[in-house]
Amino acid sequence: MASSSLLWLCSSNALISPATLLKAHPRFPIRQRFRCSLVEPLKFENGKPHFPLLTSGPAFPTFLSPNSHFQNDINKHDTRLRIFSGTANPALAQEIACYMGLELGKIKIKRFADGEIYVQLQESVRGCDVFLVQPTCPPANENLMELLIMIDACRRASAKNITAVIPYFGYARADRKTQGRESIAAKLVANLITEAGANRVLACDLHSGQSMGYFDIPVDHVYGQPVILDYLASKTICSDDLVVVSPDVGGVARARAFAKKLSDAPLAIVDKRRHGHNVAEVMNLIGDVKGKVAVMVDDMIDTAGTIAKGAALLHQEGAREVYACSTHAVFSPPAIERLSSGLFQEVIITNTIPVSEQNYFPQLTVLSVANLLGETIWRVHDDCSVRFEPYATLGID
């Protein structure tokens, strides 16, 4: 009787309330009967340049492919998950939503004549798990303020959980006092995000791990290394010819971890003396690079002064080729002129920060971290572990 009544209800043109349907067939929960339609399949592969480039096509990580067996274990029709994008990097947010099989939430963001920012959510988020994708890249202050207002709008709209997805965390370099009477802006920004109403932060490749301790809320730290490593693995470079180079002493730990995953390649260190902000002077090289392919690894490229002078030193010491690998491409002037001067065989970055078309040059390769962030968002939303095989190599804390 219950099944026949259910068929009558579904075949009729009358509106069916959840309560009526539950009475008609109480054995099945409501969430199994109402499903949102799946949007078009994934267009972007992890690690694939999202603009046409002059380099050869990279290989893509199999552990982040859209056909991963893990996707079958997650309810991707959960309508309680919402993803909104700020104006800083909408292309990355769209790729993340595409990977997850969701649509970006509707949000209205505009600026008044005096520069004030206005944010209004165009759909209900009451009781929802909300993820706000907004890197605090240049202009850092504008994008940071926009993120804070987005968080406040979600909080006042009664969102259950608010996660700030910050692919690039600005002010991360101001994480300690190097001289007297300096501010620690990284801590200040962490306090602002917390007080605005965020319940969690998802960041990619923080400048220093200690920045996680500045937040009084949980922080999920994702590393972009697997994307770059998988791309380098597609290159026909003999492992005996590789040497990983840290452009400064502060990045030795990062370079050592990178070298270990590249067939335990040897490590070299560029020793430099910095005389001022964004000004670097290379002094000497620790390690042997003669006749080898040098892979310089850093978390970000700002003015490219450090990495360019390091590359010049590597060529002087006999390096055959020099590759530059970085997660965040800040590209403040005159970075493009330095990177495209012929010092580098290839400059490999990710799309945590959008790169304008006029900043492209033949040696540049942009890899996508959308699948990496999208998979992490699913796991955070579903309260799943993010450190089991085959994802344990992702470097997620």
Side-chain angles (χ1 to χ4, degrees):
M1 181 63 186
S3 59
S4 60
S5 61
L6 177 62
L7 291 173
W8 178 85
L9 286 170
C10 294
S11 61
S12 66
N13 294 327
L15 294 175
I16 308 171
S17 67
T20 304
L21 189 56
L22 183 61
K23 291 178 181 179
H25 210 298
R27 288 188 300 140
F28 299 98
I30 296 177
R31 64 181 295 181
Q32 293 186 4
R33 303 176 195 142
F34 296 92
R35 296 180 179 270
C36 63
S37 58
L38 192 66
V39 300
E40 59 182 345
L42 176 68
K43 295 179 181 177
F44 305 97
E45 293 285 355
N46 194 63
K48 180 178 181 180
H50 63 290
F51 285 107
L53 299 176
L54 300 180
T55 56
S56 58
F60 310 124
T62 56
F63 55 79
L64 285 179
S65 64
N67 296 323
S68 172
H69 67 87
F70 180 76
Q71 291 195 11
N72 299 326
D73 301 331
I74 302 179
N75 181 14
K76 307 257 172 154
H77 302 280
D78 193 340
T79 58
R80 283 297 181 185
L81 191 153
R82 298 283 192 276
I83 301 177
F84 293 92
S85 173
T87 60
N89 198 346
L92 175 59
Q94 183 61 59
E95 289 185 42
I96 293 173
C98 188
Y99 168 79
M100 299 176 68
L102 301 173
E103 292 182 354
L104 285 177
K106 297 180 177 60
I107 186 172
K108 181 179 181 181
I109 302 175
K110 69 177 184 179
R111 282 163 173 77
F112 293 106
D114 60 353
E116 294 182 5
I117 301 172
Y118 173 83
V119 173
Q120 182 189 29
L121 303 179
Q122 302 288 293
E123 59 185 72
S124 174
V125 295
R126 185 178 297 274
C128 293
D129 201 359
V130 177
F131 293 82
L132 306 175
V133 182
Q134 176 79 342
T136 54
C137 52
N141 297 333
E142 285 268 327
N143 291 328
L144 174 60
M145 194 64 198
E146 184 178 302
L147 173 62
L148 297 176
I149 298 176
M150 290 170 64
I151 294 173
D152 182 72
C154 293
R155 179 174 64 87
R156 297 181 186 278
S158 302
K160 183 179 180 181
N161 291 303
I162 304 171
T163 301
V165 182
I166 311 176
Y168 170 71
F169 182 65
Y171 288 102
R173 285 174 284 185
D175 56 358
R176 64 190 184 278
K177 292 180 66 174
T178 58
Q179 301 177 33
R181 299 177 295 279
E182 282 187 337
S183 68
I184 303 180
K187 173 58 177 173
L188 174 62
V189 173
N191 287 342
L192 289 172
I193 293 173
T194 303
E195 291 300 320
N199 304 108
R200 179 182 291 270
V201 168
L202 171 56
C204 183
D205 265 338
L206 291 170
H207 185 65
S208 60
Q210 67 202 44
S211 299
M212 289 186 285
Y214 295 156
F215 290 89
D216 296 325
I217 54 178
V219 177
D220 292 297
H221 188 200
V222 180
Y223 295 89
Q225 280 190 2
V227 178
I228 299 176
L229 282 166
D230 194 84
Y231 176 75
L232 287 175
S234 68
K235 296 282 185 183
T236 56
I237 303 175
C238 179
S239 59
D240 295 333
D241 294 337
L242 274 176
V243 57
V244 176
V245 182
S246 173
D248 53 30
V249 177
V252 171
R254 182 186 304 107
R256 185 186 295 116
F258 198 89
K260 186 176 181 180
K261 295 178 182 178
L262 275 179
S263 303
D264 204 12
L267 181 67
I269 304 169
V270 176
D271 178 37
K272 75 175 190 296
R273 297 291 186 267
R274 188 182 295 275
H275 297 289
H277 295 294
N278 296 329
V279 178
E281 180 181 356
V282 172
M283 299 298 291
N284 49 34
L285 178 69
I286 304 172
D288 181 27
V289 298
K290 188 173 183 179
K292 293 183 177 294
V293 177
V295 179
M296 302 188 72
V297 181
D298 209 349
D299 64 318
M300 70 175 70
I301 299 177
D302 190 356
T303 61
T306 298
I307 204 164
K309 291 184 178 180
L313 178 64
L314 293 175
H315 282 292
Q316 291 175 12
E317 296 294 330
R320 191 169 80 244
E321 293 177 351
V322 178
Y323 288 80
C325 301
S326 177
T327 304
H328 308 300
V330 182
F331 284 177
S332 302
I336 302 302
E337 289 77 7
R338 289 169 173 170
L339 295 174
S340 59
S341 62
L343 289 172
F344 300 97
Q345 180 75 15
E346 191 171 358
V347 178
I348 306 167
I349 61 172
T350 71
N351 61 341
T352 56
I353 298 176
V355 180
S356 57
E357 290 190 40
Q358 60 266 27
N359 285 340
Y360 273 82
F361 51 94
Q363 297 87 3
L364 183 66
T365 298
V366 183
L367 308 178
S368 178
V369 294
N371 292 11
L372 186 65
L373 293 175
E375 194 64 45
T376 307
I377 289 174
W378 271 124
R379 292 164 183 268
V380 171
H381 170 69
D382 211 52
D383 294 326
C384 289
S385 171
V386 293
R387 290 196 63 84
F388 61 86
E389 295 293 340
Y391 295 89
T393 59
L394 297 185
I396 302 174
D397 292 329

